[in-house]
Amino acid sequence: MANKTTAEKLATLQKGYTLEGATIELGAAIIDGELHKDAPVRLPLSMMNRHGLVAGATGTGKTVTLHMMAEQLSTAGVPVFLADIKGDLSGLATAATGSEKLTARTEGIGQAWQGRTFPVEFLALGGDGNGVPVRATVSSFGPILLSRIMELNDTQESSLQLVFYFADKNGLELIDLKDLRAVIQFLTSAEGKDQLEELGGLSKATAGVILRELVSLEAQGLEKFFGEPEFDTAELLRTAPDGRGVITCLELPTLQTKPMLFSTFLMWLLADLFEDLPEAGDLDKPKLVFFLDEAHLLFNDASKAFLEAITTTVRLIRSKGVGIFFVTQTPKDVPAEVLGQLANRVQHALRAFTPEDAKALKATVSTFPMSDYDLEETLTSAGIGEAVITVMNEKGAPTPVALTRLRAPESVMGPSDEALVRSTVAGSALLAKYGTAVDKHSAFEKLSGKAAAPAGSGSGGSAPGGTVPGGASQDDVDAEARRIEEEILGRPSSRPAPSATAGRRMPAENAPAPRPGAGDSMAGDIGGMLGGALGGGLKSMARSIGTQLGRELLRGVFGTSSRRRRR
């Protein structure tokens, strides 16, 4: 390694980054302290769904790297999702202006630079900012992700899953936080004592803890992130009329004080895509590239169930055409199970001011392939806008490690003018769909005995005041069986059409008792209905099918349940 000449090192990098298909141009290699624009460093577009890591100390240029990659992905027709924590990424909507310093840099790496604007959509969680409001229903968000926000322990998380099961089982729509609070208050009341006992693993004390945490969330003003209209994550997959991919920036101007909510909400977006996108196999370019900034927030103090869900999502969403790039300070911020799924690496400079820093540096160096660089020295001496790179080539092998001077973005590296952002949002087609919050008839109204919402604004009739809706009637079972037979088995149902009484509920005292164990029990219920639809002789087989499909049909890997899957 030390005996190689500069020419030999140059030849190694030129060969390693000679690629046949479309690429993302990252920059030019630096070898023995000299920049070589004849040694371009690039990433195959077809390998962007193999996931990646962008790491480095604060101030080393990670955000600019995301900016530059997003521009090229958009130009290639690939939609991009970016979390804009500091507001810097709104500059994608404004063309940059040249300067002598910029010209010298771009010419040095062989970049034909030109100032450009890009198609950008601005979103904001619950309207907290200038963007189009993004909301999710509590039911869609699910118990695992909600537990993360409330920082529940494993026992409390399991108990919250039982609460969601109870609501799902009894037709209590969880739209916003007051709906979930109403269900928990019912279960902890004298009236709901019997139902609480039937849930088995849910104690009144634990339910009380969850209720207090829920009230705390409301006191912090987080209720505005939950509600309707629920954001359809398919909006992230759009392209502009000129064929370029839309870059979606989720701005988070006040969420730096609520990092857990921010990171968990990003995982909801990703989990919803994961559950709804079909298998795509190997593509020439991904359907979407998702950048998760401040990725360490996802994993800090995460429960085992949460980590398993992330690992499963990262491993499987690749085949659905989605690439995920985790952005953080050091690789040790990402669990080994997740890190092992990442194929592309952009490592900015690291600092070694403390023994802990030095330990992290050695750990980072050990994760790179063998190279012609002294990586400990390189990673501590790399300048702003430089990074050590290795990616997956078109044959699935790692490219040679290359210290790279990165390309310059062609749009503004900083925020766009606020008036431009506001006008972009005002002209967005999404504003009419998601701009105004809607409070529909749901669990809160049903359990409090309030009158049904006006026609067209609610979701079904109400239960009698003070009582919880019970189990399904035979008409409900027939309707669900018809749906499963037609949608899952793909053939016309022989079941009779629902009668005019379909949708009516049994009195609570006649309802079958709900059983604990949301995943298996609910799947078994589906199997039972499917067995009824097919005939008693096939009931065993149907129940087996229901067990396999139940979790996917009702709640996904994070316990999520979008409206599309509930229909």
Side-chain angles (χ1 to χ4, degrees), residues 44-386:
L45 190 60
S46 61
M47 292 294 156
M48 288 293 287
N49 68 332
R50 262 58 174 188
H51 311 320
L53 177 73
V54 179
T58 300
T60 55
K62 297 190 298 295
T63 301
V64 177
T65 297
L66 306 187
H67 193 132
M68 173 265 293
M69 293 174 71
E71 289 181 346
Q72 294 187 68
L73 286 165
S74 174
T75 301
V78 178
V80 179
F81 175 88
L82 298 169
D84 191 7
I85 297 177
K86 295 173 286 188
D88 295 344
L89 294 171
S90 64
L92 284 156
T94 304
T97 56
S99 66
E100 289 185 10
K101 182 178 180 181
L102 178 61
T103 299
R105 179 184 179 89
T106 55
E107 288 181 351
I109 63 175
Q111 177 184 358
W113 187 91
Q114 180 182 351
R116 305 172 192 266
T117 61
F118 294 85
V120 182
E121 190 77 65
F122 295 104
L123 306 180
L125 288 187
D128 187 11
N130 293 326
V132 175
V134 176
R135 303 179 185 87
T137 65
V138 169
S139 183
S140 171
F141 209 70
I144 297 177
L145 295 179
L146 193 59
S147 295
R148 280 286 286 166
I149 294 178
M150 294 195 289
E151 300 183 40
L152 302 181
N153 61 32
D154 289 349
T155 300
Q156 293 160 353
E157 180 181 312
S158 297
S159 297
L160 185 60
Q161 291 185 50
L162 291 176
V163 172
F164 271 73
Y165 168 65
F166 176 80
D168 288 345
K169 184 75 173 176
N170 291 283
L172 296 170
E173 298 88 349
L174 303 178
I175 304 300
D176 50 27
L177 291 181
K178 74 176 184 296
D179 289 321
L180 182 57
R181 175 164 46 83
V183 172
I184 297 174
Q185 286 176 329
F186 172 81
L187 289 172
T188 54
S189 69
E191 192 174 7
K193 179 180 178 181
D194 292 341
Q195 283 86 349
L196 183 67
E197 291 179 355
E198 288 166 354
L199 286 178
L202 177 62
S203 70
K204 185 172 183 178
T206 301
V209 170
I210 297 172
L211 183 60
R212 287 195 297 273
E213 292 297 330
L214 197 59
V215 172
S216 176
L217 287 186
E218 292 176 316
Q220 296 175 51
L222 301 188
E223 74 278 358
K224 60 186 168 185
F225 302 117
F226 298 98
E228 289 189 320
E230 182 173 88
F231 185 76
D232 185 348
T233 52
E235 309 284 8
L236 303 179
L237 303 175
R238 294 178 299 133
T239 55
D242 61 5
R244 291 183 297 170
V246 172
I247 301 173
T248 301
C249 287
L250 179 66
E251 60 170 339
L252 308 161
T254 65
L255 285 187
Q256 294 183 43
T257 58
K258 306 179 184 74
M260 188 69 75
L261 174 65
F262 148 64
S263 62
T264 309
F265 214 99
L266 295 188
M267 283 313 302
W268 170 76
L269 291 173
L270 192 59
D272 196 66
L273 284 167
F274 170 73
E275 297 297 337
D276 288 316
L277 285 176
E279 291 291 322
D282 291 327
L283 303 172
D284 291 336
K285 61 183 181 182
K287 295 180 180 179
L288 173 71
V289 175
F290 208 95
F291 289 94
L292 287 173
D293 205 356
E294 301 294 342
H296 64 280
L297 298 175
L298 288 173
F299 307 111
N300 289 347
D301 302 318
S303 68
K304 181 179 178 181
F306 186 75
L307 290 176
E308 288 176 349
I310 292 178
T311 304
T312 299
T313 302
V314 171
R315 186 175 69 251
L316 298 180
I317 202 169
R318 178 197 67 78
S319 63
K320 299 189 176 191
V322 177
I324 308 169
F325 277 71
F326 295 92
V327 186
T328 189
Q329 293 197 9
T330 70
K332 70 182 183 65
D333 293 334
V334 181
E337 295 82 357
V338 176
L339 203 61
Q341 306 293 325
L342 312 183
N344 303 305
R345 180 87 167 269
V346 180
Q347 177 68 61
H348 288 264
L350 292 173
R351 309 299 179 220
F353 297 135
T354 69
E356 185 65 25
D357 291 341
K359 184 177 179 181
L361 175 62
K362 289 184 180 294
T364 299
V365 169
S366 69
T367 61
F368 277 94
M370 294 294 293
S371 75
D372 295 325
Y373 295 90
D374 179 342
L375 287 179
E376 283 198 34
E377 179 182 350
T378 301
L379 286 174
T380 53
S381 61
I384 296 172
E386 296 176 353

